[in-house]
Amino acid sequence: VQLQASGGGLVQAGDSLRLSCAASGRTFSTYVMAWFRQTPGKERAFVARIAKSGITYYADSVKGRFTISRDNAQNTVYLQMNSLKVDDTAVYYCAATQRLGVTTDLAKYDYWGQGTQVTVSS
């Protein structure tokens, strides 16, 4: 599967932004989808995950502010980001896997999008 992330940009603290990740192929519904983020000099970090069933899981740092969702008919996963903070500034990557029991371990995700920059100013 090929992934194409979009929707990043420059916003102010407190604003909202929605990221999208479009996937190619006809088996999108069989993939666990996730978002990770990375800042310079740091490891890529888990943000949110949505299972094939629609069950979601979030990093503590974004819980209550971010919402991950998927539209299997459109082969797209979204990340709605509300109440953005300066610390949310990062390159955001979408990822996909068909492995079972996958949550936050980036090594278990086999497919990655190209990343989209989110910058939150104070």
Side-chain angles (χ1 to χ4, degrees):
V1 64
Q2 291 184 321
L3 305 175
Q4 180 76 33
S6 61
L10 171 63
V11 297
Q12 291 188 327
D15 284 351
S16 298
L17 203 58
R18 189 176 80 157
L19 306 183
S20 300
C21 176
S24 65
R26 296 177 290 178
T27 60
F28 175 77
S29 62
T30 68
Y31 286 86
V32 174
M33 302 298 298
W35 289 95
F36 288 77
R37 65 187 181 186
Q38 188 171 23
T39 54
K42 293 189 175 182
E43 290 189 353
R44 198 167 295 186
F46 171 80
V47 175
R49 185 263 293 155
I50 185 164
K52 296 179 287 184
S53 63
I55 294 175
T56 58
Y57 183 79
Y58 298 93
D60 287 342
S61 58
V62 307
K63 202 173 294 182
R65 299 188 298 121
F66 290 11
T67 302
I68 187 171
S69 61
R70 65 192 299 160
D71 184 338
N72 290 335
Q74 297 295 323
N75 283 10
T76 303
V77 63
Y78 303 99
L79 186 68
Q80 177 67 42
M81 305 184 293
N82 298 330
S83 303
L84 281 162
K85 304 176 181 179
V86 173
D87 286 350
D88 294 319
T89 296
V91 177
Y92 283 72
Y93 297 88
C94 58
T97 184
Q98 290 182 308
R99 304 188 195 206
L100 299 178
V102 175
T103 53
T104 65
D105 184 357
L106 64 88
K108 299 294 179 62
Y109 289 85
D110 300 305
Y111 305 96
W112 292 85
Q114 85 287 7
T116 185
Q117 175 71 47
V118 172
T119 303
V120 184
S121 64
S122 59

